[in-house]
Amino acid sequence: MPFLKKYVPKYWKMFCLAVLCLTFEALCDLAMPTILSKIIDVGVAHSRMDYVLRMGGLMLLITAFGAVAACGRNILASRVSQKFGAELRSDMFRKIQSLSFDNIDRFERASLVTRLTNDVTQVQNFMNGLMRIFVKSPLICIGSLIMATRLNSQLAIVLAVVVPIVALLIALNMKIGFPLFIKVQKALDQVNSLSREYLSGVRVVKAFNRFDYEVDKFEQSNQEYRARSVRAMRRMSIFNPAIMLTVNFGIITVLWLGGVRVDGGQMQVGTIIAFINYMTQILFSLMMISNVFNMFVRAKASAGRIDEVFAQENTMNWNADTRPNPEMKGRIDFENVYFTYEGTSGEPVLKNISFTCHAGETVGIIGSTGSGKSSLVGLIPRFYDTLAGTVKVNGVDVKEIDPQLLREKIALVPQQTVLFTGTVLDNIKIGKEDATMAEIEQAAKMSEAHGFVSSFADGYNTILGQGGVNFSGGQKQRVSIARALVRKPEILILDDCTSAVDVATESRIKEALKTYAADLTCLLIAQRITSVMDADKIIVLDNGEIVGVGKHETLMRTCRVYQEICQSQVGKEMQSDVSA
Ligand code: GTP
Ligand code: MG
């Protein structure tokens, strides 16, 4: 896994130290049966109490050393794996932040969360296990083989038969199990992402009484997960008993062969006990190895998914030396821009868009839903790159300049209000970190947020729940506008941001904006024609194309689409006037 390379130089020393402790611990374990056989064959057989006590003491001492080593590797393993996990998580978080929207759109949001949490934990646990037991099992296995052969080379023939059979069984186990467990992991991901999606949309589910549908959907993927797990487990279930059986046959053979030889006076009881002891150690370490692989499969699948994120090359490049042009403050140029979202086929979302906004102008953008208004303004802070044509801000191509410098000049109120958990003050300060209280209040007054915010007991320190759940739609929009206004940007983009505010409040916000936006460029997307009527220029979009540019009066004369929008809305208002 390429992303792991970064962590090797940092942790290999601690890792090796942990493995060293582990090796020492394994050696201590390996010495035990041999000492035991000596106690039986020399001490007990010849009734030499002093020998038994001496050897018993030695055993205690070795156990103590082993325990110290075990403590050491536990501490090391926890430290290394926790530090590694934390670092990997924060690196990944930073990586995700650095990606462009094009990159991020390639992943489902829920899957990014799973990668950041669950997948990192899997890899971290595997790391931890590696330093705890995974390395120990092969050590014990090989060590026991050597010790047993040294103890009695004739009995070792039994091992020469048993071990290859067991190894074959384990290899088969891995070969069959690996793809099965990958399928299980995929099904688990599905369950995870379904429950995340359900939780984020729980209001809609309740509102539309979609419980049965959601339960069915969940049940399906839950059953799939169960079925796949059962299938995998069933296939695997024969292996452990088969390994046990083989090893137990081996033990019986050793007992039988040994018994014959003890009778013949060629072998002693202690040796046989020690030999069987080694054999069970081999058995357990082999079983452990075959269990480890289950964890390995998970870790490998997780590492692959983490790698996918790290492998994303940011699709956006820029020239680090390009500086904004201070003389063309607030100017925006679109030159024959075509745009489409990645992965979508068919007609481009925007076609041949060309227009210019001069500094200080207020430009309205109007058009039916889906006509491409939000997509158009998203190109100005370079959320996405164009398919063809150029977007210039302050006379500089947005592809040339560092996005951070570019976005400093722009304040955007998105169509979908986004607020973060924290106080109202924190949320407004996102617009300008070092804003003073006076600036914040001024911005909030302009966006008509000051009134309701100061009516709360905690005022600006009122806590917003996640996503602002404790605020009304219109309240959230007004806080979101204040956040943009406090920035005092060169370019202000308001994407249909008063849709949830009543008409009277909206017109007060518009009045305040008029003075505020006098010397900055303001792009105003609106559904209501009255909102853009007195703009310096109105751009009419239809199906991704500009079908009219000009002032209200000109458009009323020349642009059919504009006339239609106007008629539909004015007609409605007159009707509602009549009915009222
Ligand atoms: P309203 O906000 O409803 O008034 O529409 P709009 O004029 O702002 O339209 P927008 O620019 O959001 O969408 C234009 C087209 O782009 C639509 O056909 C959408 O299907 C498509 N679109 C918008 N956002 C995305 C996106 O994030 N990904 C993809 N693949 N398509 C998108
Ligand atoms: Mg929109």
Side-chain angles (χ1 to χ4, degrees):
M1 293 295 151
F3 76 90
L4 285 173
K5 272 186 207 138
K6 184 191 158 198
Y7 305 95
V8 173
K10 208 161 186 180
Y11 294 113
W12 73 269
K13 281 186 198 150
M14 293 250 265
F15 184 90
C16 289
L17 202 62
V19 172
L20 202 72
C21 285
L22 201 64
T23 314
F24 191 71
E25 193 192 336
L27 288 180
C28 293
D29 283 0
L30 285 173
M32 289 300 164
T34 305
I35 302 177
L36 186 71
S37 79
K38 292 247 164 72
I39 292 181
I40 296 171
D41 292 347
V42 181
V44 178
H46 302 108
S47 309
R48 281 173 54 188
M49 197 56 189
D50 61 320
Y51 187 84
V52 173
L53 282 179
R54 204 156 15 101
M55 283 306 191
L58 184 66
M59 269 177 124
L60 273 180
L61 200 68
I62 292 177
T63 312
F65 275 128
V68 171
C71 272
R73 61 110 170 133
N74 268 346
I75 293 170
L76 280 169
S78 306
R79 277 185 74 110
V80 172
S81 59
Q82 290 300 334
K83 269 177 113 170
F84 161 76
E87 202 177 324
L88 180 58
R89 251 191 305 274
S90 70
D91 282 346
M92 198 164 157
F93 191 73
R94 225 168 286 148
K95 176 77 191 182
I96 294 174
Q97 288 233 307
S98 78
L99 292 175
S100 69
F101 285 80
D102 262 343
N103 290 119
I104 293 182
D105 288 352
R106 288 180 200 153
F107 299 97
E108 269 181 58
R109 301 294 148 98
S111 114
L112 276 180
V113 177
T114 328
R115 285 167 210 246
L116 200 56
T117 50
N118 182 47
D119 287 335
V120 172
T121 310
Q122 294 288 357
V123 176
Q124 180 185 333
N125 284 347
F126 184 71
M127 244 356 159
N128 191 15
L130 212 56
M131 287 176 277
R132 275 166 190 264
I133 42 171
F134 304 170
V135 179
K136 192 177 167 187
S137 305
L139 278 178
I140 293 272
C141 180
I142 295 169
S144 297
L145 273 175
I146 297 172
M147 293 298 276
T149 316
R150 274 185 41 168
L151 209 61
N152 190 305
S153 49
Q154 283 158 331
L155 286 183
I157 296 171
V158 179
L159 286 179
V161 178
V162 169
V163 171
I165 296 178
V166 172
L168 187 76
L169 283 172
I170 290 177
L172 268 178
N173 179 342
M174 292 206 185
K175 195 167 157 44
I176 296 174
F178 201 84
L180 288 176
F181 276 104
I182 287 188
K183 278 190 185 158
V184 171
Q185 187 69 25
K186 286 221 174 98
L188 180 63
D189 282 349
Q190 185 66 22
V191 173
N192 273 341
S193 86
L194 263 183
S195 36
R196 267 176 213 280
E197 194 185 72
Y198 167 73
L199 286 176
S200 58
V202 68
R203 285 183 187 216
V204 180
V205 175
K206 292 203 184 213
F208 289 92
N209 278 329
R210 299 277 282 176
F211 288 116
D212 295 343
Y213 174 77
E214 287 295 324
V215 167
D216 276 353
K217 207 160 72 169
F218 187 81
E219 198 54 27
Q220 262 177 24
S221 77
N222 197 18
Q223 289 302 332
E224 179 68 28
Y225 176 46
R226 180 196 59 84
R228 286 187 186 183
S229 302
V230 167
R231 208 176 307 143
M233 294 300 175
R234 199 181 294 145
R235 293 270 174 86
M236 309 309 282
S237 64
I238 54 163
F239 286 103
N240 272 357
I243 293 173
M244 280 277 209
L245 191 73
T246 318
V247 174
N248 281 332
F249 265 123
I251 290 178
I252 292 170
T253 319
V254 167
L255 281 174
W256 180 67
L257 281 177
V260 173
R261 292 179 160 250
V262 170
D263 278 347
Q266 293 151 306
M267 204 180 278
Q268 286 175 298
V269 181
T271 312
I272 297 176
I273 292 179
F275 199 92
I276 289 174
N277 223 317
Y278 281 125
M279 250 178 118
T280 31
Q281 285 208 16
I282 294 173
L283 165 71
F284 277 115
S285 55
L286 283 174
M287 300 271 262
M288 194 54 97
I289 292 172
S290 73
N291 282 343
V292 161
F293 110 93
N294 186 357
M295 218 160 158
F296 174 73
V297 173
R298 288 182 165 208
K300 191 169 173 244
S302 290
R305 287 153 49 90
I306 293 173
D307 208 40
E308 273 170 20
V309 177
F310 278 104
Q312 288 293 321
E313 292 280 342
N314 196 330
T315 45
M316 289 188 179
N317 305 305
W318 59 87
N319 183 350
D321 301 325
T322 310
R323 289 278 163 269
N325 182 350
E327 296 188 354
M328 296 175 88
K329 229 166 100 170
R331 185 186 159 116
I332 303 168
D333 298 274
F334 272 63
E335 295 168 2
N336 309 99
V337 170
Y338 286 79
F339 169 70
T340 197
Y341 289 96
E342 212 195 68
T344 50
S345 51
E347 265 189 85
V349 171
L350 295 174
K351 283 161 283 190
N352 200 18
I353 303 285
S354 299
F355 67 90
T356 300
C357 294
H358 298 285
E361 267 186 345
T362 296
V363 176
I365 302 178
I366 201 160
S368 54
T369 49
S371 56
K373 305 180 295 291
S374 302
S375 308
L376 186 146
V377 296
L379 297 177
I380 301 170
R382 202 182 172 197
F383 289 154
Y384 292 95
D385 275 335
T386 58
L387 208 59
T390 34
V391 177
K392 287 183 182 168
V393 170
N394 298 356
V396 181
D397 187 344
V398 291
K399 288 185 184 169
E400 284 292 312
I401 195 165
D402 183 346
Q404 225 170 336
L405 284 178
L406 172 70
R407 289 169 196 164
E408 265 172 20
K409 313 271 172 217
I410 302 168
L412 172 88
V413 183
Q415 187 169 22
Q416 280 198 330
T417 317
V418 180
L419 295 177
F420 294 92
T421 311
T423 62
V424 176
L425 192 70
D426 294 335
N427 269 287
I428 298 182
K429 271 194 172 175
I430 291 174
K432 187 179 174 199
E433 254 171 74
D434 53 355
T436 61
M437 204 54 219
E439 284 176 312
I440 288 173
E441 277 186 20
Q442 194 199 3
K445 273 178 190 155
M446 279 189 284
S447 67
E448 294 287 322
H450 182 73
F452 77 86
V453 171
S454 40
S455 74
F456 293 139
D458 292 329
Y460 282 88
N461 290 319
T462 307
I463 305 273
L464 279 130
Q466 191 177 17
V469 280
N470 50 346
F471 274 42
S472 80
Q475 288 174 334
K476 279 191 279 192
Q477 282 194 333
R478 284 181 268 173
V479 173
S480 157
I481 299 173
R483 175 174 65 195
L485 295 185
V486 79
R487 176 162 240 183
K488 301 215 174 71
E490 289 172 17
I491 296 168
L492 178 67
I493 302 171
L494 303 166
D495 188 352
D496 201 13
C497 63
T498 46
S499 57
V501 178
D502 62 274
V503 182
T505 315
E506 187 194 356
S507 70
R508 282 202 300 277
I509 297 177
K510 264 182 63 190
E511 273 313 305
L513 274 179
K514 258 185 204 159
T515 27
Y516 175 86
D519 52 356
L520 53 84
T521 313
C522 182
L523 275 133
L524 197 67
I525 299 181
Q527 301 285 353
R528 299 183 198 131
I529 231 156
T530 45
S531 312
V532 290
M533 226 159 73
D534 42 7
D536 297 312
K537 191 172 7 182
I538 303 166
I539 295 172
V540 188
L541 274 184
D542 187 38
N543 198 15
E545 281 174 296
I546 294 187
V547 290
V549 181
K551 279 190 174 291
H552 173 69
E553 294 77 24
T554 332
L555 288 172
M556 278 308 278
R557 280 198 315 273
T558 57
C559 180
R560 197 182 45 82
V561 177
Y562 191 77
Q563 287 163 356
E564 279 169 8
I565 299 173
C566 193
Q567 272 161 10
S568 68
Q569 293 186 0
V570 171
K572 236 187 258 164
E573 268 161 37
M574 277 174 38
Q575 274 169 9
S576 60
D577 279 352
V578 171
S579 60

Short mmCIF file of all heavy atoms in Angstrom, two decimals, residues 373-374 415 495, ligand 2:
data_model
loop_
_atom_site.label_atom_id
_atom_site.label_comp_id
_atom_site.label_asym_id
_atom_site.label_seq_id
_atom_site.Cartn_x
_atom_site.Cartn_y
_atom_site.Cartn_z
N LYS A 373 -27.90 28.26 -13.00
CA LYS A 373 -27.49 29.49 -12.29
C LYS A 373 -26.43 29.19 -11.23
O LYS A 373 -25.37 29.82 -11.19
CB LYS A 373 -28.70 30.16 -11.63
CG LYS A 373 -29.83 30.46 -12.60
CD LYS A 373 -31.00 31.12 -11.93
CE LYS A 373 -31.72 30.25 -10.91
NZ LYS A 373 -32.46 29.12 -11.48
N SER A 374 -26.72 28.21 -10.37
CA SER A 374 -25.77 27.89 -9.31
C SER A 374 -24.47 27.36 -9.90
O SER A 374 -23.38 27.66 -9.41
CB SER A 374 -26.35 26.85 -8.36
OG SER A 374 -27.55 27.32 -7.82
N GLN A 415 -26.86 28.44 -2.01
CA GLN A 415 -28.30 28.24 -2.08
C GLN A 415 -28.79 27.39 -0.91
O GLN A 415 -29.82 27.64 -0.33
CB GLN A 415 -28.63 27.55 -3.41
CG GLN A 415 -30.10 27.44 -3.68
CD GLN A 415 -30.34 27.01 -5.10
OE1 GLN A 415 -29.49 26.43 -5.76
NE2 GLN A 415 -31.52 27.29 -5.59
N ASP A 495 -26.73 33.39 -3.79
CA ASP A 495 -27.44 32.39 -4.59
C ASP A 495 -28.81 32.12 -3.97
O ASP A 495 -28.94 31.28 -3.10
CB ASP A 495 -26.60 31.10 -4.68
CG ASP A 495 -27.21 30.11 -5.67
OD1 ASP A 495 -28.33 30.36 -6.14
OD2 ASP A 495 -26.55 29.09 -5.95
MG MG B 2 -29.36 26.89 -7.88
#
